[in-house]
Amino acid sequence: MQWLIDSLEMSWDDYSSIFEDYRNAAVYVDRITRRVQVVKVSDIDDFYSNFSVLLQGGYLNKYEPVYIKMAKYVAFPTRRERIALMMVQKHNWRRVSYYIEWKHVASWVVKICESCEKEQKAHMQVLESGLSDEETVRIHTSL
């Protein structure tokens, strides 16, 4: 997978083909250059362990996930704590939140879903900018 590092962002379908034989995989690009900076693969299905393909929240200010494949979960990141809290409280999702000096920096919002690549792709295509917290939650819960 090292050959992917510093390559330009590719399409979801290209990544899906590349990671076809992996249970869990994720690709993160630099938010400015759109070049691949992190590739994670794992056979361990947990979303909350060090072996997860989900990056710790502090990295999500600089890197954007463009592909996530998880065998047992669907996940999407948010930098708005209220969205994560609303998803957990009202819609029974789970979250892993990250804080720096008591300030929320990012959360992963996660739900159990076996082999749900189409749903995962749909969640990744939701752009929070320009949407209210309520509208963002409504879109995610409708997928």
Side-chain angles (χ1 to χ4, degrees):
M1 296 302 115
Q2 188 157 353
W3 61 272
L4 283 172
I5 301 297
D6 208 33
S7 66
L8 287 174
E9 177 181 357
M10 292 188 261
S11 73
W12 183 279
D13 293 336
D14 288 338
Y15 291 127
S16 184
S17 177
I18 291 167
F19 296 107
E20 179 177 30
D21 296 332
Y22 291 89
R23 287 183 60 78
N24 305 288
V27 177
Y28 299 84
V29 298
D30 182 281
R31 289 185 178 275
I32 297 170
T33 66
R34 307 308 294 174
R35 292 190 170 275
V36 174
Q37 297 299 308
V38 178
V39 176
K40 293 187 80 172
V41 295
S42 178
D43 287 334
I44 298 172
D45 294 333
D46 293 336
F47 67 86
Y48 51 83
S49 77
N50 292 338
F51 303 105
S52 171
V53 296
L54 304 179
L55 278 182
Q56 290 187 356
Y59 293 104
L60 296 176
N61 287 328
K62 185 173 181 177
Y63 302 136
E64 177 183 347
V66 292
Y67 177 79
I68 297 175
K69 174 185 178 183
M70 295 172 59
K72 293 187 176 185
Y73 301 98
V74 166
F76 67 89
T78 181
R79 290 192 269 172
R80 294 193 221 163
E81 184 176 29
R82 188 163 180 256
I83 290 173
L85 291 171
M86 290 170 68
M87 292 296 291
V88 170
Q89 292 171 351
K90 296 181 180 179
H91 304 286
N92 297 319
W93 286 58
R94 300 174 188 180
R95 74 180 172 112
V96 177
S97 294
Y98 299 90
Y99 299 84
I100 296 176
E101 296 181 4
W102 301 99
K103 183 179 183 216
H104 179 262
V105 291
S107 293
W108 284 103
V109 182
V110 182
K111 78 171 183 176
I112 295 172
C113 191
E114 300 268 340
S115 302
C116 296
E117 186 173 356
K118 286 182 184 178
E119 186 176 339
Q120 177 65 61
K121 182 179 178 183
H123 283 287
M124 297 292 291
Q125 291 175 335
V126 175
L127 301 176
E128 290 182 0
S129 60
L131 297 175
S132 69
D133 294 348
E134 291 78 10
E135 184 68 11
T136 302
V137 168
R138 187 193 64 72
I139 292 169
H140 280 295
T141 57
S142 70
L143 298 175

